């Protein structure tokens, strides 16, 4: 059984630290997705796993093998690149079988494995084509097929779907999901795309600035983000934030408020807060409703009516821009003053250090 | 601007270029097929009688079939040098393009030096004598490789820059070692630039006069250019044969040109501009 | 945090990326090429610096300091070669730069048989220099040559192209231009066709004449190509040997000798030290004239 373990992995390019100590344990057969803003080190971490970048310090275990100094070909991994990186002068079959050709595998074994991969991907009829004669989606599948043929313990994907158009991306996403169930291999997947991350992952790892911000099941990250960064990053549209002050606090709840926000009570236990502490309050656009006695006073800037829902851009008295996604078709006029409300269980509070008060220990 | 003025000017320009660039070649052909007496007049006139075969046979037979030997030598030299140049320069271009380190500027400097600087002839001859490769075909081959390397490396390096690195990485993960990465993945993708290098260098080495003159003196190893040069003093009175010889050694480049016009032009201008 | 460290200039830690690169692209792949180039080109170039300071003949060699170089500036026939080399390089490259551009403009305008004309202009580049030299020697024959006979028909007394001491060098230069202008043209053409058609269309709407288009669009935008032509033909001019050697052998007298022909003559006469010194002078000439030219022109490209 081969899971994967990273112990305090670090990477610097010259004087620039790009990965600053990542600890991660991945179970065998798990589908793990790395997300994070551009430049946060997702690709670098993946490439360190593949052996395409050296590890500056820390340990990388694949199965029970310490892999820091193991050549890529001996790590039991396969990688699918964003640009596919197909060998343009080889046919699909030759692309599939190239690793076996290099390993001098017997011809019949090679042909069998190529055929197996082609069947899985339903590409038997395309084996004699060159990559230039394939569509974008087909090329993508060749790249995946090349990985399958190697029968790796771990599949690595670096934004594999980002060159496809939206419709094809949805199809390929489902195919990847099926493939994962079929092969039962460990998969590590880098993406920018929220939906890909939420739908594919057993576990999402949120990276920022070369550090793991939070990891966990997609829905857990959505419901209880560990800090402001994750709260803002996971979920679309983005969570709304505003600064508030503690008005009063007791053992099970806290009352916060600010100039633009009528005091609200949020259930919160086991926290020692002082009156006057500055906190950040976060509410997801989807949980807001219009309510004439709502605590949140806003001025409507822009209304987008989509029929089944209405997206309202509004401004608080401080000038902060918020977003509400209201269900149904609701008629609001630009410049209109509207009060919004949310249930107190849907309100998140973050401390001065950015951590979620409900989850932080 | 009147019609005549507009088109008259370019018509004149075209006519002049045609005369300037085509007449000398027609002159060569005319001279090559004339008899000895008419060719001795050295004028641009229609041949009174045609002696294609006769002149051809005489040129070939001259000095114990010297021209045949020369053709064989030149072919051997050209083919081997170009083959070596392609493989070695592609390798160098590959490593240099992919790997940027502290010594890269030095290598760039040496490449530039190879492109601009004339070789130091006498020290080279001394060195070749010590190595036992002076006056040998393989010695000249190595010289041609050394002297033409810079140009080829630049062409290859510029082309390899257009091949994404991810392809190398995919091959490495597939288990390729450096040599199989180069020969099985990179080299097959270099076909267009390889054709250019082959064509341009074939013409250059086949037409080379200076290096054989210095490094391959002596009758037994003569190349076609040397042979032609020597015929110049031998055939002082037989211009028809001299020009038949010129015609014969102009044919290979002409053939190459007819087939690979595009690659030659692309290669020469691209290499020159980026170099 | 990342931003703060990203700006750091010094990189004390040895980056291990190099190791990764080293195993993917190992340096030993360069060894065969480096050996051939290093031994047969670089090494002689370096030793030539020493040999040029010796009196070195078939029989012995003796260190004589800068005597060889002094000789180059004192012996009139050697000094003449030095001057001739520079003249030759300036004349040929100047003509190639101007005529090449003219031909390129002509051959990029819509013409009948344009591709054929391009081929015609370019083909001499591919022809044996020796063949070209011999052909033009005969065409330029003072009394019976086609050129002078043609001139005589229209009443001009043609000059002794290759036998006139004051003219021989320039005659060879003309032939070199004939042979090499095709390459310049092709480089210019590559530059001209890469100019976006938008510029011409926009200027036509603004009412520019053909001359104004050439002056304000083609000329500035073709400049990188022009610099290439200048450098290439200038260095080629400084190094030229084969054409001079097949047409005049430096004669009459020493009137058309250039550095490259002097190097060969001295080598033939067994004056190896002097020959090598000639080589070194040629290096220096190229370094002194071509390298700054290259840098100057490159800077102009950048600041364009
Ligand atoms: N070879 C390198 N040399 C120096 N810095 C590098 C190198 N490769 C990556 N970096 C830097 O490391 C950081 C992380 O890069 P990485 O490619 O891992 O980001 P990423 O999270 O994959 O971003 P994206 O989502 O845009 O692909 C970036 O700031 C990048 O500039
Ligand atoms: Mg990336």
């Amino acid at each position: 059984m081969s899971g994967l373990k990273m112990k305090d992995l670090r990477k610097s390019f010259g004087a620039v630290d790009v990965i600053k100590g990542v600890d991660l344990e991945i179970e065998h057969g798990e589908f793990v997705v790395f997300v994070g803003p551009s430049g946060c080190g997702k690709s670098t971490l993946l490439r360190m796993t593949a052996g395409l970048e050296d590890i500056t310090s820390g340990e990388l275990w694949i199965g029970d093998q310490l892999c820091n100094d193991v050549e890529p070909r001996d790590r039991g991994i396969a990688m699918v690149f964003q640009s596919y990186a197909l060998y343009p002068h080889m046919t699909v079959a030759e692309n599939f079988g190239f690793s076996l050709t290099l390993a001098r595998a017997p011809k019949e074994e090679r042909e069998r494995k190529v055929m197996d991969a082609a069947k899985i991907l339903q590409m038997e009829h395309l084996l004699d084509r060159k990559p230039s004669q394939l569509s974008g989606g087909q090329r993508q599948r060749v790249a995946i097929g090349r990985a399958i043929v190697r029968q790796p313990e771990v599949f690595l994907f670096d934004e594999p779907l980002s060159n496809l158009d939206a419709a094809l991306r949805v199809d390929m996403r489902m195919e990847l999901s099926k493939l994962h169930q079929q092969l039962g291999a460990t998969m590590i997947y880098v993406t920018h795309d929220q939906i890909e991350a939420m739908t594919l992952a057993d576990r999402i790892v949120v990276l920022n600035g070369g550090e793991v911000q939070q990891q966990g099941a997609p829905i857990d990250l959505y419901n209880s983000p560990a800090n402001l960064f994750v709260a803002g990053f996971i979920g679309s549209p983005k969570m709304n934030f505003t600064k508030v002050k503690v008005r009063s606090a007791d053992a099970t709840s806290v009352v916060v408020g600010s100039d633009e926000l009528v005091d609200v009570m949020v259930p919160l236990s086991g926290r020692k807060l002082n009156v006057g502490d500055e906190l950040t309050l976060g509410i997801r656009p989807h949980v807001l409703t219009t309510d004439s006695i709502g605590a949140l006073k806003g001025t409507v800037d822009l209304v987008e009516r989509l029929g089944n829902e209405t997206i309202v851009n509004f401004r608080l008295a401080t000038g902060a821009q918020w977003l509400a996604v209201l269900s149904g078709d609701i008629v609001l006029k630009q410049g209109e003053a509207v009060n919004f409300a949310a249930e107190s269980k849907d309100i998140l509070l973050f401390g001065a250090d950015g951590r979620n008060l409900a989850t932080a220990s | 601007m009147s019609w005549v003025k507009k088109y008259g000017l370019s018509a004149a320009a075209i006519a002049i270029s045609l005369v300037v660039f085509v007449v000398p070649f027609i002159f060569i052909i005319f001279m090559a097929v004339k008899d000895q007496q008419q060719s001795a007049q050295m004028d641009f006139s229609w041949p009174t009688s045609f002696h294609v075969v006769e002149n051809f046979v005489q040129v070939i037979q001259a000095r114990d079939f010297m021209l045949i030997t020369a053709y064989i030598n030149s072919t051997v030299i050209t083919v081997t040098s170009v083959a070596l140049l392609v493989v070695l320069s592609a390798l160098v271009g590959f490593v240099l393009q992919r790997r940027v380190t502290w010594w890269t500027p030095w290598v760039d400097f040496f490449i530039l030096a190879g492109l601009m600087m004339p070789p130091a002839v006498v020290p080279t001859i001394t060195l070749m004598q010590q190595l036992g490769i002076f006056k040998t075909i393989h010695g000249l081959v190595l010289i041609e490789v050394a002297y033409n390397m810079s140009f080829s490396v630049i062409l290859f390096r510029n082309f390899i820059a257009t091949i994404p690195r991810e392809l190398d990485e995919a091959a490495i993960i597939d288990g390729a070692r450096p040599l199989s990465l180069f020969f099985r993945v990179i080299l097959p993708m270099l076909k267009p630039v390889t054709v250019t290098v082959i064509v341009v260098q074939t013409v250059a080495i086949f037409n080379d006069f200076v290096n054989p003159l210095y490094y391959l003196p002596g009758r037994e190893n003569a190349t076609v250019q040397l042979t032609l040069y020597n015929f110049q003093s031998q055939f002082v009175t037989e211009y028809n044969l001299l020009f038949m010889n010129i015609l014969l050694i102009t044919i290979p480049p002409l053939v190459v040109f007819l087939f690979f016009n595009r690659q030659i032009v692309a290669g020469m201008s691209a290499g020159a501009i980026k170099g | 945090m990342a931003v703060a460290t990203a700006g750091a200039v010094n990189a004390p830690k040895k980056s291990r990326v190099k190791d990764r690169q080293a195993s993917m692209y190992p340096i030993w792949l360069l060894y065969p090429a480096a050996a051939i180039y290093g031994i047969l080109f670089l090494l002689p170039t370096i030793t030539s610096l020493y040999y040029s300071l010796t009196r070195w003949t078939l029989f012995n060699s003796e260190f004589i300091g800068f005597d060889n170089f002094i000789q180059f500036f004192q012996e009139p026939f050697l000094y003449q070669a030095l001057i001739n080399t520079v003249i030759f390089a300036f004349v040929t490259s100047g003509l190639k730069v101007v005529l090449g551009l003219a031909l390129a403009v002509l051959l990029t305008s819509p013409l009948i048989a344009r591709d054929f004309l391009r081929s015609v202009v370019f083909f001499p580049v591919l022809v044996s220099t020796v063949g070209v030299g011999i052909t033009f020697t005969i065409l330029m024959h003072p009394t019976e040559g086609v050129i002078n006979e043609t001139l005589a028909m229209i009443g001009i007394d043609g000059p002794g192209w290759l036998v006139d001491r004051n003219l021989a060098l320039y005659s060879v230069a003309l032939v070199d231009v004939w042979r090499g202008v095709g390459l310049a043209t092709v480089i210019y053409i590559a530059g001209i066709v890469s100019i976006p058609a938008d510029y011409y269309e926009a200027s036509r709407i603004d009412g520019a004449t053909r001359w104004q288009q050439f002056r304000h669009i083609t000329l500035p935008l073709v400049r990188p190509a022009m610099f290439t032509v200048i450098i290439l033909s200038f260095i080629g001019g400084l190094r030229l040997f084969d054409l001079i050697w097949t047409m005049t052998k430096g004669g009459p007298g020493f009137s058309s000798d250039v550095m490259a022909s002097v190097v060969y003559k001295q080598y033939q006469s067994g004056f190896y030290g002097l020959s090598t010194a000639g080589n070194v002078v040629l290096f220096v000439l190229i370094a002194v004239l071509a390298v700054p030219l290259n840098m100057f022109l490159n800077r102009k490209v950048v600041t364009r």
Side-chain angles (χ1 to χ4, degrees):
Chain A
M1 285 295 104
S2 83
L4 190 141
K5 207 186 303 173
M6 301 178 184
K7 278 192 192 157
D8 196 29
L9 273 194
R10 283 167 196 278
K11 173 77 192 174
S12 356
F13 289 110
V16 186
D17 297 328
V18 173
I19 300 293
K20 301 164 190 160
V22 167
D23 288 290
L24 205 59
E25 277 195 46
I26 296 172
E27 302 277 308
H28 175 77
E30 212 177 351
F31 199 124
V32 174
V33 175
F34 292 169
V35 293
S38 191
C40 69
K42 306 180 293 289
S43 298
T44 306
L45 195 55
L46 199 71
R47 291 164 55 82
M48 287 160 78
T49 313
L52 295 173
E53 302 280 2
D54 283 302
I55 292 166
T56 306
S57 73
E59 291 177 3
L60 173 74
W61 294 79
I62 297 177
D64 38 20
Q65 189 184 20
L66 177 62
C67 281
N68 287 36
D69 295 318
V70 175
E71 286 293 320
R73 60 174 168 269
D74 301 323
R75 291 188 181 197
I77 50 104
M79 184 156 170
V80 177
F81 293 87
Q82 181 177 357
S83 64
Y84 317 146
L86 304 182
Y87 310 121
H89 55 292
M90 299 184 198
T91 63
V92 170
E94 286 164 344
N95 264 284
F96 277 10
F98 188 55
S99 56
L100 300 171
T101 313
L102 287 172
R104 298 207 174 83
K107 192 156 178 261
E108 57 277 16
E109 180 194 339
R110 195 168 76 224
E111 280 169 359
R112 182 171 46 79
K113 287 186 172 170
V114 167
M115 212 52 210
D116 288 350
K119 273 194 197 117
I120 293 176
L121 297 165
Q122 291 152 18
M123 305 196 74
E124 295 105 313
H125 59 296
L126 298 173
L127 282 176
D128 293 327
R129 299 254 191 109
K130 291 269 175 70
S132 56
Q133 302 162 319
L134 299 175
S135 71
Q138 289 167 337
R139 285 180 206 185
Q140 175 61 66
R141 282 215 285 270
V142 178
I144 295 172
R146 203 167 57 182
I148 294 176
V149 169
R150 304 196 64 217
Q151 298 179 324
E153 307 280 357
V154 183
F155 281 85
L156 305 173
F157 297 91
D158 194 353
E159 308 196 28
L161 306 186
S162 58
N163 283 348
L164 300 178
D165 63 49
L168 209 49
R169 212 179 298 175
V170 174
D171 292 347
M172 282 308 296
R173 206 168 70 206
M174 294 197 284
E175 278 197 43
L176 276 176
S177 197
K178 266 189 267 170
L179 192 69
H180 178 232
Q181 282 164 12
Q182 201 173 342
L183 300 175
T186 311
M187 295 192 171
I188 305 180
Y189 188 103
V190 166
T191 183
H192 264 118
D193 187 312
Q194 291 265 339
I195 302 177
E196 270 173 40
M198 299 296 281
T199 52
L200 285 172
D202 294 325
R203 176 149 49 118
I204 292 181
V205 177
V206 182
L207 289 167
N208 188 32
E211 286 168 330
V212 175
Q213 298 292 321
Q214 189 179 4
Q215 46 172 308
I219 203 66
D220 292 343
L221 296 199
Y222 184 84
N223 287 335
S224 24
N227 55 35
L228 273 174
F229 177 81
V230 178
F233 194 79
I234 300 281
S236 167
K238 213 168 164 296
M239 187 184 278
N240 299 305
F241 296 109
T242 188
K243 289 253 181 277
V244 291
K245 282 207 169 77
V246 174
R247 305 286 195 214
S248 69
D250 61 30
T252 57
S253 66
V254 56
V255 176
V256 296
S258 69
D259 298 343
E260 72 234 27
L261 187 71
V262 178
D263 294 356
V264 291
M265 192 177 78
V266 182
L268 185 71
S269 52
R271 282 281 145 197
K272 198 149 169 43
L273 291 170
N274 301 319
V275 172
D277 281 356
E278 280 230 358
L279 302 178
T280 303
L281 175 148
I283 303 180
R284 291 203 184 274
H286 284 95
V287 304
L288 286 170
T289 52
T290 49
D291 184 339
S292 54
I293 54 159
L296 207 58
K297 293 190 190 68
T299 313
V300 175
D301 275 340
L302 182 72
V303 182
E304 294 169 312
R305 291 167 62 185
L306 304 178
N308 62 336
E309 57 183 25
T310 307
I311 302 172
V312 186
N313 283 271
F314 62 98
R315 207 167 356 105
L316 302 184
T318 44
Q321 282 290 345
W322 277 39
L323 212 62
V325 179
L326 308 172
S327 63
D329 185 27
I330 293 174
V331 184
L332 292 169
K333 277 204 280 304
Q334 195 183 340
E336 193 176 336
V338 181
N339 285 6
F340 292 90
E343 289 186 38
S344 60
K345 70 169 172 54
D346 291 329
I347 298 176
L348 299 177
L349 288 175
F350 301 89
D353 58 358
R355 301 225 271 181
N356 186 345
L357 295 183
T359 57
S361 44
Chain B
M1 195 181 270
S2 78
W3 194 90
V4 177
K5 222 173 154 188
K6 196 168 167 188
Y7 293 95
L9 201 68
S10 52
I14 293 166
I16 291 172
S17 354
L18 269 179
V19 169
V20 169
F21 289 102
V22 174
V23 164
F25 288 108
I26 297 177
F27 181 72
I28 293 175
I29 296 171
F30 282 179
M31 288 291 272
V33 299
K34 288 175 181 176
D35 62 23
Q36 194 190 331
Q37 271 146 12
Q38 201 197 353
S39 72
Q41 293 166 4
M42 304 194 290
D43 51 6
F44 190 74
S45 57
W46 188 259
T48 48
S49 54
F50 288 85
H51 301 269
V52 184
V53 177
E54 196 183 317
N55 291 351
F56 177 77
V57 171
Q58 277 197 47
V59 169
I60 298 282
Q61 286 177 341
R63 296 218 259 165
D64 297 336
F65 296 95
M66 181 73 132
L67 197 56
I68 302 277
T69 321
Y71 249 102
I72 294 173
N73 287 339
S74 278
T75 309
V76 169
I77 291 167
T78 308
V79 171
T80 351
S81 321
V82 170
L84 275 173
L85 265 174
V86 165
V87 174
L88 295 183
S89 317
L91 263 173
V92 173
F94 172 58
V95 175
L96 289 185
Q97 202 283 321
R98 291 306 199 226
R99 216 178 142 182
V100 177
T101 60
W102 60 268
W103 43 258
T104 309
W106 287 96
V107 177
D108 287 347
F109 173 78
F110 288 133
I111 289 175
L112 207 62
L115 216 50
M116 302 205 315
M117 288 301 172
V121 183
V122 186
T124 309
I125 290 174
T126 319
L127 188 73
M128 289 174 78
Q129 280 169 337
Q130 285 162 2
L131 297 174
I133 56 173
F134 184 55
K135 288 193 189 183
T136 64
I137 300 249
H138 50 275
L140 184 63
V141 166
L142 292 176
I143 287 284
E144 296 288 6
V145 172
Y147 292 179
N148 291 297
M149 183 112 64
S150 290
F151 181 76
S152 314
V153 166
I154 289 173
L155 282 186
F156 276 116
R157 187 166 65 176
N158 290 343
F159 190 87
I160 290 170
T162 66
I163 299 177
R165 252 167 214 271
E166 286 192 349
L167 225 54
D168 303 19
E169 294 174 345
I172 292 287
I173 288 182
D174 272 345
R177 286 158 216 271
L179 277 182
S180 44
L181 170 62
F182 176 74
F183 281 104
R184 303 181 94 140
V185 178
I186 301 295
L187 197 56
M189 286 194 282
L190 302 181
K191 216 182 259 163
V193 70
T194 304
V195 172
T196 304
V197 169
I198 290 178
V199 170
V200 171
Q201 300 290 25
T202 299
V203 171
I205 295 173
F206 185 83
N207 280 340
D208 187 15
F209 168 65
V210 186
N211 295 316
L213 182 70
Y214 275 119
Y215 306 121
L216 199 60
R219 291 189 48 172
E220 63 280 12
N221 285 331
T223 66
V224 285
Q225 306 300 328
L226 281 185
T227 315
L228 174 59
Y229 176 75
N230 293 331
F231 278 12
Q232 187 188 13
S233 44
Q234 194 198 353
F235 293 148
V236 269
T237 55
E238 294 165 295
Y239 286 128
N240 54 341
L241 300 189
L242 188 59
F243 278 86
M244 178 53 86
N245 193 340
I246 295 177
L247 193 60
L248 287 180
I249 69 168
T250 307
I251 287 172
L254 181 64
V255 171
V256 170
F257 180 64
L258 291 180
F259 282 100
F260 299 104
N261 183 352
R262 205 165 284 278
Q263 283 89 345
I264 298 185
V265 168
M268 285 199 164
S269 42
I273 284 175
K274 287 175 184 159
Chain C
M1 267 280 281
V3 179
T5 48
V9 183
N10 59 331
K13 268 180 283 180
K14 178 179 168 285
S15 169
R16 292 190 58 198
V17 194
K18 280 179 191 147
D19 302 349
R20 188 68 255 156
Q21 283 202 338
S23 72
M24 273 171 87
Y25 312 113
I27 204 168
W28 54 259
L29 293 177
L30 301 179
Y31 289 166
I36 294 175
Y37 185 77
I39 293 173
L40 289 177
F41 182 78
L42 289 182
L43 186 62
T45 302
I46 293 163
T47 54
S48 71
L49 297 179
Y50 167 75
Y51 286 131
S52 67
L53 303 175
T54 61
R55 177 176 294 123
W56 177 28
T57 62
L58 273 178
F59 312 105
N60 59 1
S61 92
E62 167 197 355
F63 189 83
I64 52 165
F66 286 94
D67 281 9
N68 286 327
F69 294 100
I70 294 170
Q71 220 178 334
F72 260 96
F73 290 92
Q74 285 180 344
E75 290 273 2
F77 73 95
L78 293 178
Y79 186 65
Q80 168 97 55
L82 200 63
I83 301 298
N84 282 349
T85 306
V86 177
I87 293 176
F88 189 89
F90 271 107
V91 170
T92 54
S93 58
L95 284 176
K96 284 176 193 173
V97 167
V98 175
L99 293 178
L101 182 57
L103 280 169
V105 170
L106 180 71
L107 295 179
T108 46
S109 54
L111 291 177
I112 312 161
R114 188 175 69 180
D115 287 349
F116 172 74
L117 276 172
R118 284 189 190 181
S119 304
V120 163
V121 171
F122 183 69
F123 186 60
V125 174
L126 302 178
V127 174
S128 149
T129 315
V130 181
V132 170
I134 294 173
T135 307
F136 274 90
T137 311
I138 286 174
L139 289 173
M140 288 177 161
H141 192 282
T143 52
E144 292 166 62
V146 170
I147 296 178
N148 279 358
E149 281 184 348
T150 311
L151 289 175
M153 280 197 294
I154 53 171
I156 299 175
D157 198 9
W161 298 101
L162 296 170
V163 293
D164 183 336
R165 286 175 162 275
N166 298 319
L167 203 58
L169 185 72
Y170 298 95
S171 303
V172 179
L174 281 184
V175 177
D176 185 57
V177 172
W178 180 87
R179 186 190 56 151
V181 76
L183 182 57
T185 307
V186 154
I187 294 171
Y188 276 124
I189 288 178
I192 291 176
V193 297
S194 70
I195 300 174
D198 303 3
Y199 289 121
Y200 293 101
E201 280 160 14
S203 72
R204 215 172 35 239
I205 291 167
D206 293 343
T209 63
R210 294 246 341 226
W211 167 252
Q212 283 171 327
Q213 286 187 338
F214 172 77
R215 174 71 190 75
H216 296 289
I217 300 171
T218 312
L219 203 55
L221 291 182
V222 87
R223 220 185 256 168
M226 180 180 284
F227 297 160
T228 309
V229 172
I230 294 177
I231 293 291
L232 221 59
S233 51
F234 192 71
I235 293 177
L238 290 175
R239 288 176 58 170
L240 186 97
F241 171 74
D242 38 15
L243 200 59
I244 291 262
W245 197 247
T246 41
M247 291 187 74
T248 66
K249 292 201 166 56
F254 303 106
S255 62
S256 66
D257 253 329
V258 292
M259 290 311 296
S261 64
V262 164
V263 168
Y264 184 67
K265 282 181 179 173
Q266 298 304 328
Y267 160 67
Q268 266 191 322
S269 323
F271 298 121
Y272 297 157
L274 197 58
S275 170
T276 307
N279 246 316
V280 173
V281 172
L282 196 51
F283 295 158
V284 174
L285 212 56
I286 289 179
V288 164
L289 294 176
V291 173
L293 187 66
N294 200 351
M295 270 155 46
F296 174 71
L297 295 179
N298 277 337
R299 201 189 57 214
K300 277 209 143 166
V301 174
V302 175
T303 55
R304 171 164 64 98

